[in-house]
Amino acid sequence: MSIHRLKPHPKNEEYYADLTGEKYEELKRSIEVHGIRDPLKILPDGTILAGHQRYRIARELGIEQVPVAIYDVSPEEAEYLLIADNEERRGEDNDPMRKARRAKFLAEYWGVQRGGDRRSKDQIGLLKTLDDIADSIGESKTNTKRLIKLNNLIPELQALVSSGKLGTSAAEQLAYLSPEIQRTLYEALGEEIANRTFAETKELRRRLEEAERRDQETARLQAELAELREQGREEDRQKIEQLERRIRDLQAQSWRVVTLEQELSALRERGRKEDRERIAELEREIEELKNRPVERVEVVPDSVQEEIEAWKRRAAELESKLKSTEELANQHAERVAKLFDEVVRLKSGGAVVEMPKRRDEEFNVSEWAKQYFRFMGDTSFLLKANPERMDALVEHLLQKRNTEILLLDLQMLERVAVFAEYMHKRLSERLHKPQLIKG
């Protein structure tokens, strides 16, 4: 098959490093003299399962055609063949993390964590165990268990293990911590974390796990505290104070405090002058965490929350309506002010000026009559008016309406009074009745 149709398996680099040094040169000399005798194992699409080093050398030597054996298998079977064949051929690859990834895949593929290979559960002789995984990667059973655990490390810590800076025993202790704590610890200490001994790392893990349990208890107590505060009973006051003291004690021992103390300790051990500012900053941060006030968690029942939301919507509607009403009131106020000025001018003997009328402002007696009837109906409450009630109304208006609006009211009432006097006079003349109201 043409070498240009082949491609490396995407997970090959996760599981194996390329050959280097004398081993690689020896294989290269053999292929240069004898050619590629063993076919490369590939998938139908040209993905290489076994033979990555032969493929690499063939490209270097300019070999255009290579022998292949095609395997039409599932992705899981293909990944298994990738590991199984290379374990036999490649031999040495001592990167702990690559071994850890291979061990994890074999454990899942063989179903070791579930008690055996599901695909062969009826054939007892084919069931696999942790010992089989250990044999496959060339490690003891104890080391294999440790390596599988290393897959729980965050990528930054896995890189330290691959580089040999962080030992597998110490790394295993860190792998038991949650990813959040691992990341915070790495951000605080950096590669300094690799300088801890196994005993120091184990003790650090113990302290952090205890601190994390205390944080969980803190969250539980804060929820209980919020519930007691919501109920607001006098008999719960002493219990609330006890909970607050307990929460403060737990906060002083949180895993964040432990992590910052570790960073502080590392900086002090180095004793560099340039670290003094960071040391002072860490000391302040630790002190703040230990002495921070107990968080108050407000718990609002759903029914109350729904009622609050309904009132918010109602308030928004009223605010919008108020804005529209104010705009309309301003327009009316401007019109009333102009009319009032005109009345004053006419009373002072000013000449009547005929103003040009636009079509939409022409007098419509039917429309005015409708508004007159509506006005008379709206003011029917005046039939029940007496001085006491009128005084009460004035006091109410003075409290509820601002000065500007009251002045507009006054102007409107003056205009209404002029209108009422004129209408009374004209109606009395027509009905031949004496005037009852004197202007």
Side-chain angles (χ1 to χ4, degrees):
M1 178 179 282
S2 171
I3 196 170
H4 302 294
R5 293 179 57 188
L6 305 180
K7 57 185 178 181
H9 193 285
K11 289 196 174 181
N12 181 62
E13 291 186 1
E14 291 184 26
Y15 291 142
Y16 295 100
D18 286 332
L19 288 177
T20 58
E22 184 56 31
K23 274 201 166 189
Y24 180 72
E25 293 300 326
E26 182 182 344
L27 179 59
K28 185 176 180 179
R29 287 194 296 269
S30 174
I31 291 176
E32 192 172 13
V33 174
H34 304 290
I36 298 178
R37 291 176 294 183
D38 295 330
L40 281 67
K41 295 178 181 178
I42 67 170
L43 293 174
D45 67 352
T47 300
I48 301 171
L49 300 177
H52 287 83
Q53 303 310 303
R54 283 168 281 166
Y55 166 75
R56 178 179 161 207
I57 291 171
R59 293 187 62 182
E60 288 185 12
L61 296 176
I63 299 174
E64 292 292 326
Q65 297 289 324
V66 295
V68 298
I70 299 176
Y71 288 74
D72 190 2
V73 295
S74 68
E76 190 179 29
E77 291 288 341
E79 196 168 342
Y80 174 71
L81 290 174
L82 172 69
I83 292 175
D85 187 86
N86 282 288
E87 287 294 343
E88 295 175 5
R89 291 180 176 274
R90 196 131 357 146
E92 296 181 5
D93 185 353
N94 294 319
D95 181 347
M97 285 313 308
R98 286 197 173 97
K99 282 190 175 184
R101 295 183 195 110
R102 300 199 301 267
K104 179 185 177 185
F105 174 81
L106 292 174
E108 294 173 351
Y109 180 78
W110 285 332
V112 169
Q113 294 176 343
R114 296 181 297 275
D117 181 1
R118 292 174 295 170
R119 288 166 295 282
S120 58
K121 61 183 180 180
D122 296 328
Q123 304 176 41
I124 303 302
L126 295 180
L127 293 179
K128 300 292 186 178
T129 66
L130 188 62
D131 292 320
D132 294 300
I133 300 173
D135 290 340
S136 296
I137 65 173
E139 294 286 346
S140 68
K141 184 176 179 179
T142 301
N143 283 345
T144 300
K145 287 179 67 176
R146 178 180 297 122
L147 288 171
I148 291 174
K149 189 63 183 177
L150 297 186
N151 287 284
N152 292 341
L153 291 171
I154 60 174
E156 293 85 349
L157 294 179
Q158 289 189 18
L160 289 179
V161 174
S162 291
S163 66
K165 295 179 181 178
L166 179 60
T168 56
S169 297
E172 181 191 14
Q173 298 301 314
L174 297 175
Y176 283 97
L177 302 173
S178 68
E180 183 185 9
I181 295 180
Q182 289 184 45
R183 187 163 302 284
T184 304
L185 197 60
Y186 180 78
E187 290 172 354
L189 298 179
E191 294 191 2
E192 183 75 25
I193 196 172
N195 297 331
R196 296 287 187 273
T197 64
F198 168 72
E200 289 172 338
T201 307
K202 188 174 182 179
E203 174 61 18
L204 176 59
R205 170 197 164 189
R206 184 192 65 78
R207 291 185 61 201
L208 286 169
E209 286 180 335
E210 286 182 358
E212 190 171 21
R213 285 193 292 270
R214 286 193 289 267
D215 286 350
Q216 292 171 355
E217 184 181 356
T218 300
R220 181 184 63 79
L221 293 177
Q222 284 178 332
E224 183 180 348
L225 180 60
E227 185 177 352
L228 289 175
R229 283 173 173 161
E230 183 186 5
Q231 293 172 356
R233 296 182 305 194
E234 184 67 26
E235 58 268 27
D236 291 332
R237 181 175 297 180
Q238 185 176 357
K239 188 173 182 180
I240 289 174
E241 293 175 355
Q242 291 174 350
L243 284 174
E244 289 176 340
R245 286 195 297 272
R246 178 60 178 156
I247 289 172
R248 278 193 291 269
D249 292 342
L250 290 170
Q251 286 176 339
Q253 305 171 67
S254 73
W255 67 263
R256 291 179 179 82
V257 172
V258 173
T259 301
L260 293 176
E261 287 175 342
Q262 286 294 312
E263 182 182 0
L264 182 61
S265 174
L267 290 172
R268 282 173 173 163
E269 286 177 8
R270 283 203 301 239
R272 298 186 309 189
K273 291 182 179 179
E274 57 267 33
D275 290 333
R276 288 178 182 173
E277 185 176 341
R278 177 59 179 160
I279 289 173
E281 181 183 339
L282 285 172
E283 288 174 341
R284 287 193 299 271
E285 190 171 350
I286 290 171
E287 192 64 25
E288 287 175 4
L289 284 171
K290 288 182 175 180
N291 297 317
R292 65 183 175 183
V294 178
E295 297 177 3
R296 290 182 174 270
V297 183
E298 297 295 336
V299 180
V300 181
D302 292 341
S303 58
V304 175
Q305 187 65 40
E306 290 173 2
E307 188 173 350
I308 290 172
E309 294 300 324
W311 276 105
K312 286 181 179 178
R313 290 192 296 270
R314 178 62 176 158
E317 293 172 1
L318 291 174
E319 186 175 357
S320 176
K321 190 173 181 181
L322 175 62
K323 186 176 180 181
S324 300
T325 305
E326 287 177 345
E327 292 176 355
L328 186 60
N330 290 334
Q331 295 173 6
H332 287 316
E334 292 176 3
R335 178 67 176 162
V336 168
K338 290 178 181 178
L339 292 173
F340 182 74
D341 292 342
E342 182 66 10
V343 169
V344 172
R345 189 182 70 79
L346 291 173
K347 284 184 176 181
S348 301
V352 178
V353 180
E354 291 291 335
M355 300 296 292
K357 296 181 180 179
R358 293 183 303 180
R359 184 174 182 81
D360 58 350
E361 290 181 344
E362 290 180 358
F363 173 67
N364 186 321
V365 66
S366 297
E367 185 61 32
W368 273 52
K370 289 179 183 177
Q371 294 188 29
Y372 173 77
F373 296 145
R374 190 181 303 117
F375 171 74
M376 294 302 288
D378 290 342
T379 56
S380 61
F381 72 94
L382 294 174
L383 297 174
K384 302 177 182 178
N386 56 41
E388 183 181 350
R389 290 179 179 178
M390 298 296 278
D391 287 341
L393 177 59
V394 169
E395 290 300 325
H396 181 81
L397 293 175
L398 289 172
Q399 292 177 10
K400 297 296 183 180
R401 296 166 75 84
N402 59 40
T403 303
E404 183 180 354
I405 299 297
L406 288 172
L407 287 172
L408 293 177
D409 289 347
L410 186 58
Q411 292 172 2
M412 180 62 76
L413 288 170
E414 289 174 345
R415 183 63 181 167
V416 170
V418 172
F419 172 77
E421 181 180 5
Y422 181 78
M423 285 295 293
H424 185 273
K425 178 181 178 181
R426 296 292 294 146
L427 289 173
S428 296
E429 290 173 354
R430 284 300 191 93
L431 296 174
H432 305 289
K433 292 183 179 180
Q435 295 186 28
L436 299 178
I437 300 178
K438 297 294 183 181

